[in-house]
Amino acid sequence: MVTIKGKSISPGIAIGTIQKISKASSSVARTTVTDPEAEVKRFEAALAEAEAQLAALYKKAQKEVGESEAAIFEVHGMLLKDPDLTEKVKDVIRTQQVVSEFALSSVKTSILERFSSMEDAYMRERTADIQDIICRLMDILTGSGKDQILDRPMILMAEELTPSNTLQIERKNLLALITRFGSSNSHASILARIMNIPAIANVDIDDDWNGKTAILDGYTDTLIIEPTKQVLSQMKARQKEEENDRRTLQAFKGIESITSDGHKINLFANIGSTEDVGSALENDAEGIGLFRSEFLFLNRSTPPSEEEQFQAYKTVAENMEGKKVIIRTLDLGADKQANYLQLDKEENPAMGFRAIRISLSRPELFKTQLRAIYRSSAFGNIALMFPMIISVDEVKRIKEILSEVKADLDKQGISYKDIEIGIMVETPAAVILSRELAEEVDFLSIGSNDLTQYALAMDRQNPYLDAFYDPHHPAVLKMIELVVQNAHKVGCQVGICGELAADLSLTETFLRMGIDELSVAPVGILGLRKKIRETSLNYD
Ligand code: PEP
Ligand code: MG
């Protein structure tokens, strides 16, 4: 038995046999051909097959995880047509009279280097995608791609978790994922979490594990290869407990989120796409506390039109059937880059041109989104929220823009509701000014992810800082308490929609502070409701 520590990127326990994703050998023989034009045709057929596979994957992803996650396969389709890849391979086939596999592997390094050294962060991040495409082509050429199909439940092991690897396999046969590389913010990790598949990265994977029994514990960042009988039965018991816990939690559907001594709070869900509403409803969310609208703006070549956005917001509003839906306006910038915005490269992007700063500098982009949100307000219970606020002046400027948007809608006879507006408290500046800000808006929502980053001067994306990034830091908790006190003085409601809201070890602390709303990933709702109902604040 070997126990290995990695980094969990999606929780859960899985027990099963490991299957390494079969990739074509990295060293391809230099086999020559007598008819290079016939070989070029063979390569073109592989390109056509790859295109067809990507189109099928796009459709499958659209159905299973939603439009925004599926869009990556459109990006792959575009990258597949990059002449730097296709023409160079054909060139090598013709000039060196070699098989396509050799030509492809000989251009691979230079194309990967070109992508990884690009100035544009978005394009740099596409390095893994271009690698994925090259692997797909190689699999088609060598016929080894078929081996990737899991005909029975397996734990999949791969060098890197790519979106296609994740989606290409029938979900019922995918028990878990193990990878050498991977960050919690990659498309693949997001997919794994949406699909509820336990996953662990940063594992020094070994080909010898192929076919061996393993236990992946996404709660303790642990991978156990060839567990002893005793460990296996312990983990099977834990897995059963996990299943039972999930079943028990069903009892917490349809009841209030109220402490045992009568303090009620709102328990909402965070979503990133229209498709996530299903999971929010399934887990009995009382509303949507954070709809990260920027996901609608990623993996595309132009921003979504007013109509496209309107349809998305209206769908969420209608499906939530009168429950509140808080739509956060665009929080692009930093790690969420949209190429079409043509933002300059920044030395310090987390502190740079992002979120409301972009919206206020691009009034057309902002107004299009606001129009779409106001139009959708006629179809449900929508509220508007603004990210990364640092001053009262910003809020006043936003309100002027809202008045302009509403005046335009009035002129056009388009109906809308006068919806609530709120801001995210994610910066120490917003904490200090929380009373003044609360006077301007209907609600505040604390973004503990960014608040921790800015309060502790600690890059939330940097894996080397994992051990230091501490959202339980007393300074962060005191800031949250101060915001609640200041907002309540002027009758303004306060929620938390950062990851900390789901931290059960802090539920009682937040309830004692007087938090009005907690908004968490849909799968966390019932456990949190149970925790709230078991808590007594014992105020006499
Ligand atoms: C936060 O910062 O806590 C938050 C909810 O926003 P995001 O994670 O999208 O930055
Ligand atoms: Mg944030």
Side-chain angles (χ1 to χ4, degrees):
M1 180 175 98
V2 193
T3 305
I4 295 121
K5 276 278 176 191
K7 177 180 159 209
S8 171
I9 52 176
S10 183
I13 298 168
I15 302 174
T17 310
I18 293 186
Q19 175 157 323
K20 185 170 194 305
I21 283 194
S22 84
K23 288 278 168 224
S25 163
S26 52
S27 58
V28 179
R30 190 181 194 286
T31 310
T32 51
V33 292
T34 48
D35 185 352
E37 285 316 310
E39 189 59 25
V40 165
K41 285 219 163 67
R42 184 174 158 254
F43 178 63
E44 282 171 345
L47 285 172
E49 167 64 20
E51 201 176 338
Q53 284 184 4
L54 288 167
L57 275 172
Y58 174 74
K59 274 200 181 143
K60 185 170 187 272
Q62 218 181 9
K63 211 168 100 210
E64 291 183 359
V65 288
E67 181 67 46
S68 55
E69 306 305 331
I72 190 67
F73 297 109
E74 267 188 328
V75 176
H76 280 204
M78 271 152 49
L79 291 173
L80 187 67
K81 295 193 177 82
D82 185 346
D84 212 33
L85 171 70
T86 57
E87 293 313 307
K88 271 199 180 140
V89 171
K90 289 182 198 171
D91 214 37
V92 174
I93 296 173
R94 286 189 176 113
T95 53
Q96 300 188 28
Q97 307 210 328
V98 287
V99 288
S100 309
E101 291 88 327
F102 183 81
L104 184 59
S105 72
S106 64
V107 305
K108 181 178 164 177
T109 316
S110 68
I111 192 164
L112 289 180
E113 271 171 11
R114 180 168 72 86
F115 270 85
S116 62
S117 60
M118 279 185 182
E119 283 242 319
D120 183 316
Y122 175 82
M123 290 311 285
R124 250 191 342 267
E125 280 164 22
R126 300 286 70 78
T127 311
D129 298 311
I130 196 88
Q131 191 155 21
D132 196 20
I133 289 161
I134 292 172
C135 285
R136 179 180 301 286
L137 281 169
M138 200 63 103
D139 285 344
I140 293 167
L141 288 163
T142 59
S144 57
K146 290 178 187 68
D147 296 346
Q148 291 184 22
I149 293 164
L150 299 180
D151 51 6
R152 60 204 160 93
M154 289 278 187
I155 295 176
L156 204 70
M157 175 170 83
E159 284 294 314
E160 194 154 16
L161 193 63
T162 67
S164 11
N165 296 149
T166 320
L167 272 154
Q168 211 165 12
I169 309 141
E170 286 302 318
R171 242 195 253 191
K172 67 174 163 53
N173 285 335
L174 183 57
L175 293 177
L177 293 151
I178 308 167
T179 57
R180 188 188 298 279
F181 306 106
S183 83
S184 348
N185 297 305
S186 70
H187 283 109
S189 307
I190 292 167
L191 280 174
R193 289 195 290 269
I194 289 178
M195 290 156 68
N196 215 2
I197 294 165
I200 189 164
N202 289 2
V203 175
D204 195 9
I205 60 172
D206 185 337
D207 283 1
D208 281 353
W209 298 344
N210 202 21
K212 291 186 174 163
T213 303
I215 300 170
L216 185 151
D217 184 348
Y219 297 111
T220 59
D221 306 284
T222 314
L223 177 68
I224 304 168
I225 310 292
E226 294 193 307
T228 59
K229 272 194 181 146
Q230 196 195 2
V231 170
L232 198 60
S233 64
Q234 275 168 5
M235 290 307 280
K236 278 188 177 162
R238 267 199 56 203
Q239 221 181 9
K240 275 232 164 69
E241 275 170 33
E242 204 199 13
E243 265 168 44
N244 285 341
D245 287 350
R246 258 200 307 270
R247 229 169 285 136
T248 319
L249 286 179
Q250 298 299 307
F252 291 86
K253 279 188 181 177
I255 54 175
E256 286 185 313
S257 302
I258 190 166
T259 62
S260 61
D261 50 351
H263 297 269
K264 192 182 157 359
I265 69 159
N266 294 330
L267 185 44
F268 285 6
N270 293 345
I271 61 166
S273 74
T274 51
E275 288 75 17
D276 298 339
V277 175
S279 163
L281 288 170
E282 218 171 276
N283 287 286
D284 200 27
E286 294 159 24
I288 302 296
L290 170 64
F291 179 1
R292 288 179 163 99
S293 69
E294 61 274 10
F295 287 122
L296 301 174
F297 289 69
L298 297 180
N299 289 321
R300 354 178 4 122
S301 47
T302 53
S305 65
E306 179 185 321
E307 189 56 28
E308 213 176 320
Q309 291 187 57
F310 164 65
Q311 290 300 340
Y313 306 143
K314 176 173 171 266
T315 303
V316 176
E318 285 179 338
N319 289 345
M320 288 304 291
E321 296 179 333
K323 291 177 177 166
K324 187 181 273 186
V325 175
I326 301 176
I327 302 176
R328 175 174 79 181
T329 60
L330 203 48
D331 185 6
L332 286 177
D335 58 316
K336 291 173 275 192
Q337 290 291 335
N339 237 9
Y340 51 82
L341 291 181
Q342 297 184 327
L343 303 179
D344 288 337
K345 187 176 178 305
E346 293 177 280
E347 282 302 315
N348 207 344
M351 297 206 182
F353 194 49
R354 55 171 294 199
I356 198 67
R357 299 166 194 177
I358 296 180
S359 295
L360 290 174
S361 315
R362 310 261 175 119
E364 281 321 304
L365 186 74
F366 194 31
K367 280 185 170 178
T368 303
Q369 177 166 41
L370 294 173
R371 275 179 65 90
I373 294 173
Y374 270 103
R375 282 174 58 197
S376 70
S377 70
F379 299 85
N381 183 5
I382 297 266
L384 244 177
M385 180 159 75
F386 303 97
M388 285 290 290
I389 295 296
I390 55 163
S391 72
V392 172
D393 279 351
E394 264 171 354
V395 179
K396 290 195 166 148
R397 176 72 196 116
I398 290 167
K399 284 177 161 180
E400 282 167 15
I401 297 173
L402 295 184
S403 302
E404 289 164 23
V405 168
K406 288 193 275 185
D408 281 348
L409 291 172
D410 287 338
K411 245 186 255 162
Q412 294 171 300
I414 297 172
S415 56
Y416 62 90
K417 286 185 193 152
D418 218 3
I419 55 183
E420 286 189 354
I421 65 164
I423 58 156
M424 295 218 38
V425 178
E426 299 172 282
T427 61
V431 173
I432 299 295
L433 295 175
S434 46
R435 181 169 173 159
E436 290 85 338
L437 289 165
E439 278 169 353
E440 294 290 329
V441 294
D442 301 301
F443 63 92
L444 305 181
S445 186
I446 298 169
S448 54
N449 310 336
D450 276 318
L451 186 57
T452 305
Q453 147 162 281
Y454 298 123
L456 306 184
M458 188 85 65
D459 182 355
R460 68 190 257 199
Q461 306 272 108
N462 185 339
Y464 297 110
L465 295 176
D466 266 7
F468 300 96
Y469 180 92
D470 177 17
H472 285 219
H473 192 290
V476 176
L477 297 179
K478 280 193 174 179
M479 282 185 165
I480 295 174
E481 188 167 27
L482 182 65
V483 173
V484 178
Q485 286 168 355
N486 280 341
H488 283 179
K489 277 181 198 151
V490 294
C492 178
Q493 296 242 315
V494 188
I496 303 176
C497 63
E499 295 302 299
L500 212 52
D503 187 331
L504 301 184
S505 69
L506 287 173
T507 309
E508 182 174 339
T509 306
F510 293 148
L511 288 165
R512 287 192 183 281
M513 285 179 186
I515 276 286
D516 303 293
E517 175 197 305
L518 292 171
S519 189
V520 301
V523 283
I525 288 176
L526 295 176
L528 183 50
R529 182 171 294 146
K530 176 172 184 281
K531 181 74 188 176
I532 293 165
R533 292 180 67 92
E534 286 167 357
T535 304
S536 163
L537 302 181
N538 280 326
Y539 292 136
D540 295 318

